[in-house]
Amino acid sequence: MSNKSWIVYTFMVVITWGVWGAFSAWPTTHYGYPDQWIYIIWSLTMLIPCWFSLRGQRFDTSGTAILYGCLIGFTGAGGQLLLFKTLAMGAPAYLVFPIISISPAITVMMSLVMLKERVNKLGALGVVLALLSILMFSISSGNSDKGEGLLWLFYSVIICIAWGVQAFFMKRASNLGVKDSSVFGYMTLTGIVLAPVAWLMLADKGASYPLMATLATAFIQLLNAVGALCLVMALSRGKATIIAPCTNALAPVLTAVISLIVYQSMPGAWALAGIVLAISGSTMMVYSEEKQNAIKLSTAL
Protein backbone atom coordinates (compact mmCIF):
# COMPACT_ATOMS: atom_id res chain seq x y z
CA MET A 1 0.00 0.00 0.00
CA SER A 2 1.20 3.51 -0.69
CA ASN A 3 1.95 5.91 2.12
CA LYS A 4 -1.30 7.71 1.26
CA SER A 5 -3.49 4.66 1.92
CA TRP A 6 -4.22 5.91 5.44
CA ILE A 7 -6.22 8.75 3.86
CA VAL A 8 -8.39 6.27 1.95
CA TYR A 9 -9.13 4.18 5.04
CA THR A 10 -9.70 7.27 7.18
CA PHE A 11 -12.37 8.57 4.81
CA MET A 12 -13.91 5.10 4.58
CA VAL A 13 -14.33 5.33 8.37
CA VAL A 14 -15.95 8.73 7.93
CA ILE A 15 -18.36 7.42 5.26
CA THR A 16 -19.41 4.24 7.07
CA TRP A 17 -19.70 5.85 10.50
CA GLY A 18 -21.34 8.97 9.07
CA VAL A 19 -24.11 6.91 7.40
CA TRP A 20 -24.35 4.65 10.47
CA GLY A 21 -24.78 7.70 12.70
CA ALA A 22 -27.60 9.07 10.57
CA PHE A 23 -29.66 5.86 10.77
CA SER A 24 -28.44 4.26 14.03
CA ALA A 25 -31.51 5.38 16.01
CA TRP A 26 -33.99 4.21 13.36
CA PRO A 27 -34.75 0.73 14.84
CA THR A 28 -35.29 2.23 18.30
CA THR A 29 -37.44 5.18 17.24
CA HIS A 30 -39.61 3.13 14.84
CA TYR A 31 -39.81 -0.22 16.63
CA GLY A 32 -38.66 0.42 20.19
CA TYR A 33 -35.71 -1.91 19.57
CA PRO A 34 -33.61 -2.03 22.78
CA ASP A 35 -29.95 -0.96 22.82
CA GLN A 36 -28.91 -4.33 24.24
CA TRP A 37 -30.26 -6.17 21.20
CA ILE A 38 -28.50 -3.65 18.99
CA TYR A 39 -25.22 -4.48 20.73
CA ILE A 40 -25.78 -8.22 20.29
CA ILE A 41 -26.52 -7.82 16.59
CA TRP A 42 -23.52 -5.48 16.18
CA SER A 43 -21.21 -8.09 17.72
CA LEU A 44 -22.47 -10.67 15.21
CA THR A 45 -22.13 -8.34 12.20
CA MET A 46 -18.45 -7.97 13.12
CA LEU A 47 -18.03 -11.54 11.83
CA ILE A 48 -18.60 -10.43 8.23
CA PRO A 49 -15.71 -7.92 7.84
CA CYS A 50 -13.66 -10.18 10.11
CA TRP A 51 -14.04 -13.06 7.63
CA PHE A 52 -12.92 -10.88 4.73
CA SER A 53 -9.96 -9.46 6.65
CA LEU A 54 -8.75 -12.90 7.80
CA ARG A 55 -9.26 -14.63 4.46
CA GLY A 56 -5.88 -15.94 3.33
CA GLN A 57 -4.18 -14.49 6.44
CA ARG A 58 -2.63 -16.27 9.39
CA PHE A 59 -4.36 -15.50 12.67
CA ASP A 60 -1.68 -14.26 15.06
CA THR A 61 -1.75 -16.19 18.36
CA SER A 62 1.45 -14.76 19.80
CA GLY A 63 1.41 -13.32 23.29
CA THR A 64 1.69 -9.78 21.95
CA ALA A 65 -1.27 -10.25 19.59
CA ILE A 66 -3.44 -11.81 22.29
CA LEU A 67 -2.57 -9.08 24.80
CA TYR A 68 -3.23 -6.12 22.53
CA GLY A 69 -6.14 -7.82 20.78
CA CYS A 70 -7.94 -8.32 24.07
CA LEU A 71 -7.06 -4.81 25.29
CA ILE A 72 -8.44 -3.28 22.09
CA GLY A 73 -11.51 -5.49 22.04
CA PHE A 74 -12.55 -5.18 25.67
CA THR A 75 -11.93 -1.42 25.89
CA GLY A 76 -14.11 -0.87 22.80
CA ALA A 77 -16.92 -3.33 23.48
CA GLY A 78 -16.82 -2.78 27.23
CA GLY A 79 -17.16 0.96 26.73
CA GLN A 80 -20.19 0.40 24.52
CA LEU A 81 -21.90 -1.75 27.14
CA LEU A 82 -21.13 0.76 29.87
CA LEU A 83 -22.61 3.52 27.72
CA PHE A 84 -25.89 1.58 27.51
CA LYS A 85 -25.94 1.25 31.28
CA THR A 86 -25.10 4.93 31.79
CA LEU A 87 -27.94 6.16 29.57
CA ALA A 88 -30.35 3.63 31.10
CA MET A 89 -29.67 5.24 34.50
CA GLY A 90 -31.24 8.45 33.19
CA ALA A 91 -27.90 10.20 32.83
CA PRO A 92 -28.01 13.58 31.01
CA ALA A 93 -27.03 12.77 27.42
CA TYR A 94 -26.14 16.43 26.81
CA LEU A 95 -23.32 15.97 29.35
CA VAL A 96 -22.42 12.31 28.76
CA PHE A 97 -21.58 12.61 25.06
CA PRO A 98 -19.38 15.73 25.33
CA ILE A 99 -17.32 13.90 27.96
CA ILE A 100 -16.99 10.81 25.78
CA SER A 101 -16.14 12.94 22.74
CA ILE A 102 -12.87 13.98 24.37
CA SER A 103 -11.49 10.45 23.82
CA PRO A 104 -9.43 11.43 20.73
CA ALA A 105 -7.54 13.89 22.93
CA ILE A 106 -6.43 10.95 25.09
CA THR A 107 -5.30 9.09 21.97
CA VAL A 108 -3.37 12.14 20.76
CA MET A 109 -1.64 12.73 24.10
CA MET A 110 -0.66 9.07 24.52
CA SER A 111 0.66 8.93 20.96
CA LEU A 112 2.71 12.09 21.40
CA VAL A 113 4.22 10.96 24.69
CA MET A 114 4.55 7.18 24.30
CA LEU A 115 4.85 6.70 20.52
CA LYS A 116 6.82 9.92 19.94
CA GLU A 117 4.57 10.92 17.05
CA ARG A 118 5.08 14.48 15.88
CA VAL A 119 2.98 16.97 13.93
CA ASN A 120 3.94 20.38 12.59
CA LYS A 121 2.25 23.62 13.62
CA LEU A 122 -0.40 23.45 10.90
CA GLY A 123 -1.19 19.84 11.77
CA ALA A 124 -1.38 20.70 15.47
CA LEU A 125 -3.83 23.50 14.73
CA GLY A 126 -5.90 21.06 12.70
CA VAL A 127 -5.97 18.60 15.62
CA VAL A 128 -7.17 21.36 17.96
CA LEU A 129 -9.92 22.46 15.55
CA ALA A 130 -11.05 18.86 15.04
CA LEU A 131 -11.25 18.23 18.79
CA LEU A 132 -13.25 21.43 19.23
CA SER A 133 -15.62 20.37 16.46
CA ILE A 134 -16.29 17.06 18.21
CA LEU A 135 -17.31 18.97 21.33
CA MET A 136 -19.58 21.21 19.25
CA PHE A 137 -21.41 18.22 17.76
CA SER A 138 -21.81 16.62 21.16
CA ILE A 139 -23.28 19.76 22.69
CA SER A 140 -25.66 20.18 19.74
CA SER A 141 -27.01 16.64 20.17
CA GLY A 142 -27.83 17.09 23.84
CA ASN A 143 -31.23 17.08 25.49
CA SER A 144 -32.71 18.14 28.80
CA ASP A 145 -32.76 14.77 30.57
CA LYS A 146 -31.66 14.80 34.16
CA GLY A 147 -29.54 12.09 35.71
CA GLU A 148 -29.52 11.11 39.36
CA GLY A 149 -26.35 11.28 41.39
CA LEU A 150 -22.82 11.47 40.00
CA LEU A 151 -22.27 7.80 39.16
CA TRP A 152 -23.07 8.60 35.51
CA LEU A 153 -20.16 11.07 35.52
CA PHE A 154 -17.76 8.38 36.71
CA TYR A 155 -19.03 5.97 34.06
CA SER A 156 -18.73 8.63 31.33
CA VAL A 157 -15.11 9.31 32.23
CA ILE A 158 -14.38 5.56 32.16
CA ILE A 159 -15.91 5.26 28.67
CA CYS A 160 -13.93 8.26 27.45
CA ILE A 161 -10.68 6.77 28.73
CA ALA A 162 -11.50 3.32 27.36
CA TRP A 163 -12.17 4.53 23.82
CA GLY A 164 -9.19 6.88 23.82
CA VAL A 165 -6.90 4.11 25.02
CA GLN A 166 -8.40 1.67 22.50
CA ALA A 167 -7.28 3.78 19.51
CA PHE A 168 -3.82 4.12 21.05
CA PHE A 169 -3.56 0.35 21.51
CA MET A 170 -4.53 -0.12 17.85
CA LYS A 171 -1.58 2.00 16.77
CA ARG A 172 0.74 0.40 19.33
CA ALA A 173 -0.20 -3.10 18.15
CA SER A 174 0.57 -2.10 14.56
CA ASN A 175 3.98 -0.75 15.59
CA LEU A 176 4.72 -4.10 17.25
CA GLY A 177 3.94 -5.97 14.04
CA VAL A 178 0.44 -7.29 14.80
CA LYS A 179 -1.49 -7.38 11.52
CA ASP A 180 -4.79 -5.58 10.98
CA SER A 181 -6.64 -8.83 10.37
CA SER A 182 -5.57 -10.33 13.69
CA VAL A 183 -6.38 -7.15 15.64
CA PHE A 184 -9.87 -7.08 14.17
CA GLY A 185 -10.26 -10.80 14.81
CA TYR A 186 -9.68 -10.24 18.51
CA MET A 187 -12.06 -7.26 18.47
CA THR A 188 -14.73 -9.53 17.01
CA LEU A 189 -14.14 -12.28 19.55
CA THR A 190 -14.25 -9.93 22.55
CA GLY A 191 -17.39 -8.24 21.25
CA ILE A 192 -19.16 -11.60 21.01
CA VAL A 193 -17.87 -12.66 24.44
CA LEU A 194 -19.66 -9.66 25.99
CA ALA A 195 -22.92 -10.34 24.12
CA PRO A 196 -24.32 -12.49 26.99
CA VAL A 197 -23.75 -9.52 29.32
CA ALA A 198 -25.90 -7.38 27.02
CA TRP A 199 -28.55 -10.13 27.10
CA LEU A 200 -28.59 -10.07 30.91
CA MET A 201 -29.07 -6.29 30.79
CA LEU A 202 -32.31 -6.65 28.79
CA ALA A 203 -35.32 -5.46 30.78
CA ASP A 204 -37.82 -7.61 28.85
CA LYS A 205 -36.13 -10.76 27.55
CA GLY A 206 -39.36 -12.19 26.16
CA ALA A 207 -40.34 -9.22 24.00
CA SER A 208 -40.69 -9.81 20.26
CA TYR A 209 -39.95 -7.35 17.47
CA PRO A 210 -40.75 -7.26 13.72
CA LEU A 211 -38.31 -8.95 11.37
CA MET A 212 -37.79 -5.62 9.63
CA ALA A 213 -36.41 -4.15 12.86
CA THR A 214 -33.81 -6.91 13.12
CA LEU A 215 -32.82 -6.71 9.45
CA ALA A 216 -32.52 -2.92 9.56
CA THR A 217 -30.43 -3.12 12.71
CA ALA A 218 -28.14 -5.71 11.13
CA PHE A 219 -27.56 -3.58 8.02
CA ILE A 220 -26.97 -0.40 10.02
CA GLN A 221 -24.60 -2.10 12.45
CA LEU A 222 -22.71 -3.73 9.59
CA LEU A 223 -21.70 -0.21 8.57
CA ASN A 224 -20.45 0.29 12.13
CA ALA A 225 -18.42 -2.94 11.94
CA VAL A 226 -16.88 -2.11 8.56
CA GLY A 227 -15.95 1.33 9.88
CA ALA A 228 -14.20 -0.27 12.83
CA LEU A 229 -12.11 -2.44 10.49
CA CYS A 230 -11.21 0.60 8.38
CA LEU A 231 -10.14 2.44 11.54
CA VAL A 232 -7.77 -0.40 12.44
CA MET A 233 -6.33 -0.30 8.92
CA ALA A 234 -6.00 3.50 8.94
CA LEU A 235 -4.19 3.55 12.29
CA SER A 236 -1.73 0.91 11.11
CA ARG A 237 -0.75 3.15 8.18
CA GLY A 238 -0.92 6.68 9.57
CA LYS A 239 -0.46 8.72 12.72
CA ALA A 240 -2.93 8.28 15.55
CA THR A 241 -2.53 11.99 16.34
CA ILE A 242 -4.09 12.75 12.95
CA ILE A 243 -6.52 9.88 12.35
CA ALA A 244 -8.30 9.77 15.72
CA PRO A 245 -9.49 13.40 15.75
CA CYS A 246 -10.07 13.42 11.97
CA THR A 247 -12.48 10.47 11.97
CA ASN A 248 -14.31 11.65 15.06
CA ALA A 249 -14.72 15.13 13.58
CA LEU A 250 -15.76 14.36 10.00
CA ALA A 251 -18.19 11.48 10.64
CA PRO A 252 -20.69 13.78 12.41
CA VAL A 253 -20.45 16.18 9.45
CA LEU A 254 -21.67 13.45 7.07
CA THR A 255 -24.32 12.43 9.60
CA ALA A 256 -25.58 16.02 9.72
CA VAL A 257 -25.69 16.27 5.91
CA ILE A 258 -27.61 12.98 5.55
CA SER A 259 -30.02 14.00 8.32
CA LEU A 260 -30.65 17.28 6.51
CA ILE A 261 -31.46 15.45 3.26
CA VAL A 262 -33.45 12.52 4.69
CA TYR A 263 -35.11 14.00 7.77
CA GLN A 264 -35.16 17.66 6.68
CA SER A 265 -33.43 18.40 9.95
CA MET A 266 -31.40 21.62 9.87
CA PRO A 267 -28.29 21.57 12.13
CA GLY A 268 -28.29 24.06 14.97
CA ALA A 269 -25.71 26.77 15.57
CA TRP A 270 -23.40 24.47 17.54
CA ALA A 271 -23.54 21.78 14.85
CA LEU A 272 -22.88 24.32 12.08
CA ALA A 273 -19.85 25.58 13.98
CA GLY A 274 -18.74 21.97 14.38
CA ILE A 275 -19.04 21.36 10.62
CA VAL A 276 -16.83 24.36 9.83
CA LEU A 277 -14.23 23.40 12.43
CA ALA A 278 -14.24 19.72 11.40
CA ILE A 279 -13.71 20.41 7.71
CA SER A 280 -11.08 23.08 8.41
CA GLY A 281 -9.20 21.00 10.96
CA SER A 282 -9.26 17.79 8.92
CA THR A 283 -8.07 19.60 5.80
CA MET A 284 -5.18 21.11 7.75
CA MET A 285 -4.19 17.72 9.20
CA VAL A 286 -4.24 15.87 5.89
CA TYR A 287 -2.43 18.68 4.06
CA SER A 288 0.27 19.03 6.71
CA GLU A 289 0.87 15.29 6.85
CA GLU A 290 1.15 14.95 3.08
CA LYS A 291 3.41 18.01 2.92
CA GLN A 292 5.72 16.40 5.49
CA ASN A 293 5.76 13.17 3.48
CA ALA A 294 6.58 15.09 0.30
CA ILE A 295 9.48 16.85 2.05
CA LYS A 296 10.82 13.53 3.36
CA LEU A 297 10.58 11.99 -0.12
CA SER A 298 12.36 14.89 -1.83
CA THR A 299 15.07 14.80 0.84
CA ALA A 300 15.57 11.08 0.34
CA LEU A 301 15.92 11.57 -3.42
Side-chain angles (χ1 to χ4, degrees):
M1 299 295 291
S2 68
N3 60 1
K4 294 185 179 181
S5 62
W6 69 271
I7 300 178
V8 176
Y9 289 116
T10 296
F11 281 96
M12 285 180 67
V13 176
V14 172
I15 292 171
T16 51
W17 281 1
V19 177
W20 163 69
F23 297 102
S24 59
W26 194 85
T28 301
T29 56
H30 285 75
Y31 298 104
Y33 216 61
D35 290 335
Q36 293 80 6
W37 264 120
I38 293 175
Y39 174 89
I40 293 170
I41 292 175
W42 163 77
S43 68
L44 294 176
T45 61
M46 291 278 283
L47 290 168
I48 298 175
C50 181
W51 182 81
F52 282 101
S53 67
L54 283 172
R55 189 174 56 175
Q57 301 289 327
R58 184 183 67 86
F59 188 64
D60 194 342
T61 56
S62 65
T64 300
I66 294 174
L67 173 62
Y68 280 95
C70 289
L71 287 173
I72 293 167
F74 282 121
T75 50
Q80 187 69 59
L81 274 178
L82 188 57
L83 176 61
F84 291 157
K85 179 176 179 60
T86 303
L87 296 176
M89 292 168 55
Y94 68 97
L95 293 178
V96 171
F97 285 103
I99 294 172
I100 296 174
S101 73
I102 303 172
S103 62
I106 296 174
T107 306
V108 169
M109 293 304 299
M110 293 182 71
S111 299
L112 289 172
V113 175
M114 302 178 70
L115 299 181
K116 306 301 181 184
E117 290 188 358
R118 292 292 179 264
V119 292
N120 58 28
K121 292 181 180 179
L122 182 61
L125 177 59
V127 170
V128 172
L129 293 181
L131 292 174
L132 287 175
S133 74
I134 298 168
L135 186 61
M136 297 292 184
F137 279 114
S138 299
I139 294 174
S140 71
S141 64
N143 54 48
S144 59
D145 295 339
K146 295 183 179 180
E148 297 180 359
L150 292 178
L151 187 59
W152 66 266
L153 177 60
F154 174 74
Y155 286 163
S156 300
V157 172
I158 294 298
I159 298 167
C160 174
I161 294 173
W163 287 353
V165 169
Q166 182 199 31
F168 167 78
F169 282 149
M170 287 181 185
K171 184 60 183 178
R172 178 62 175 162
S174 173
N175 289 352
L176 292 175
V178 183
K179 292 185 177 181
D180 304 335
S181 55
S182 295
V183 169
F184 194 76
Y186 284 108
M187 289 174 64
T188 302
L189 288 174
T190 51
I192 293 175
V193 165
L194 291 180
V197 179
W199 169 260
L200 292 175
M201 291 170 60
L202 277 168
D204 187 359
K205 297 180 176 58
S208 60
Y209 301 93
L211 177 61
M212 184 60 188
T214 301
L215 293 176
T217 300
F219 178 77
I220 293 168
Q221 293 307 314
L222 179 59
L223 292 172
N224 187 5
V226 172
L229 174 59
C230 292
L231 178 62
V232 174
M233 299 178 76
L235 286 169
S236 71
R237 292 160 172 79
K239 292 181 180 179
T241 48
I242 300 294
I243 294 169
C246 187
T247 52
N248 281 272
L250 285 182
V253 172
L254 181 56
T255 297
V257 171
I258 294 174
S259 297
L260 175 60
I261 296 173
V262 176
Y263 304 113
Q264 299 295 305
S265 176
M266 178 65 69
W270 288 107
L272 287 174
I275 289 174
V276 174
L277 290 174
I279 295 175
S280 302
S282 300
T283 302
M284 289 180 186
M285 286 187 286
V286 173
Y287 174 77
S288 66
E289 187 65 13
E290 287 306 297
K291 185 177 181 180
Q292 281 187 325
N293 290 336
I295 292 174
K296 290 178 182 178
L297 181 62
S298 62
T299 303
L301 296 175

